[in-house]
Amino acid sequence: MHRISLTLVALSLALPAAFAQQSSSSLISPSYLSNDSAAGNGSGVSRSTPASQTRAFPGIDVGAKIGLLGPGFEVAVPVAPHFNVRGGANFFSYDYSGATNGVNYTATLRMRSVGASLDWYPWAHGFRISPGALLYNGNRVLGNAGIPGGDDFTLNGTSYVSDPADPVHGTGSLVFRKAAPALTVGWGNRLSGEGRHVSFPFEAGFAYVGDPTVDLTFTGSVCDAGMQGCQSIANDPSAQANVAAERQKFQKDANYARFYPILSQGFAVRF
């Protein structure tokens, strides 16, 4: 009887100690450790391996592009699976000179814009849909015109002669809204995390810039065909009406640009 009692006492002391040792071992070796760690790798050092080593945000993308908004650059960063935020700017200038209807003119096209978009990749790579905006739209056309004294020119189908004593000069401009919503689609996930560090993204869509503002102004004096009745354009109701009609023609043509097309091809590098 005494031997049985001693055996029960020994078991009662040994079982809690064994349970405590097992619990301590479980805390030291959690479930996400690799099999090598749990079994021992022979080095005496335990190495943990997380269950997933996939980077959710595989870097930052910097690229250049050329398109209908002019050449520019872009930067893109991931914000969630299937979503990137992208921003960039475009800069371009072009000067032109010519003559039409007896009017000598020079024009400057200035392309300045800053935009941002949210790129959604429904299938994680490849095709994307990008709502966004032109946060700054400084695109415009500026022009100057001059008619040498004694030369003929036409306004709204009416012929005039530039007064030699006060030649006719003109200025014109076409200006867009400073900001505009945009929607594009494209191809190429530059931050897909698939190991590619170079991509060639393509984009097409439009920005709704509304009806641009057209301005056309003439100063100086005009004469009739016989160099008679010369007077300032500002004081000639007929000439002012013809200037307004010309401005309206330009405005009608410019209104087609209210949905300004966006088309670009780019080159990007992921870091």
Side-chain angles (χ1 to χ4, degrees):
M1 177 66 70
H2 292 290
R3 185 175 298 176
I4 294 174
S5 299
L6 290 174
T7 302
L8 291 176
V9 170
L11 288 174
S12 66
L13 294 174
L15 287 175
F19 178 77
Q21 182 179 5
Q22 179 64 32
S23 300
S24 176
S25 176
S26 298
L27 291 174
I28 295 174
S29 302
S31 59
Y32 60 76
L33 294 182
S34 67
N35 293 333
D36 290 342
S37 299
N41 55 26
S43 65
V45 179
S46 181
R47 296 179 302 184
S48 62
T49 303
S52 174
Q53 294 183 348
T54 302
R55 290 190 303 169
F57 306 112
I60 185 172
D61 176 275
V62 178
K65 64 177 182 177
I66 186 169
L68 297 181
L69 287 172
F73 68 90
E74 289 183 325
V75 176
V77 295
V79 293
H82 300 265
F83 289 93
N84 296 341
V85 169
R86 177 167 49 96
N90 302 275
F91 306 92
F92 181 70
S93 295
Y94 179 73
D95 296 326
Y96 180 78
S97 61
T100 181
N101 295 327
V103 179
N104 300 317
Y105 64 88
T106 60
T108 298
L109 172 64
R110 292 182 180 174
M111 307 289 284
R112 305 284 189 274
S113 62
V114 177
S117 66
L118 177 66
D119 298 335
W120 172 44
Y121 295 87
W123 302 288
H125 65 279
F127 176 75
R128 65 173 170 80
I129 302 172
S130 303
L134 290 180
L135 304 177
Y136 170 73
N137 181 15
N139 299 334
R140 62 181 58 197
V141 179
L142 306 174
N144 292 282
I147 301 93
D151 286 3
D152 298 337
F153 69 101
T154 302
L155 283 175
N156 193 36
T158 302
S159 296
Y160 296 94
V161 178
S162 179
D163 188 350
D166 184 19
V168 175
H169 296 275
T171 60
S173 63
L174 186 152
V175 180
F176 294 94
R177 291 181 183 177
K178 293 298 183 182
L183 178 63
T184 64
V185 296
W187 186 266
N189 188 348
R190 307 186 299 193
L191 291 162
S192 62
E194 296 176 352
R196 295 188 298 269
H197 291 273
V198 176
S199 60
F200 300 89
F202 171 80
E203 183 173 37
F206 67 89
Y208 181 71
V209 297
D211 294 342
T213 300
V214 174
D215 184 45
L216 183 64
T217 304
F218 282 94
T219 59
S221 298
V222 293
C223 310
D224 58 26
M227 296 297 294
Q228 301 296 319
C230 297
Q231 61 176 322
S232 170
I233 289 181
N235 298 325
D236 187 335
S238 176
Q240 283 295 310
N242 287 324
V243 170
E246 288 288 348
R247 183 188 305 114
Q248 188 62 34
K249 290 178 183 178
F250 288 128
Q251 182 69 63
K252 183 178 180 180
D253 292 338
N255 288 347
Y256 287 105
R258 64 171 64 96
F259 289 94
Y260 192 91
I262 296 176
L263 184 68
S264 69
Q265 178 68 59
F267 170 80
V269 178
R270 177 167 60 90
F271 297 96

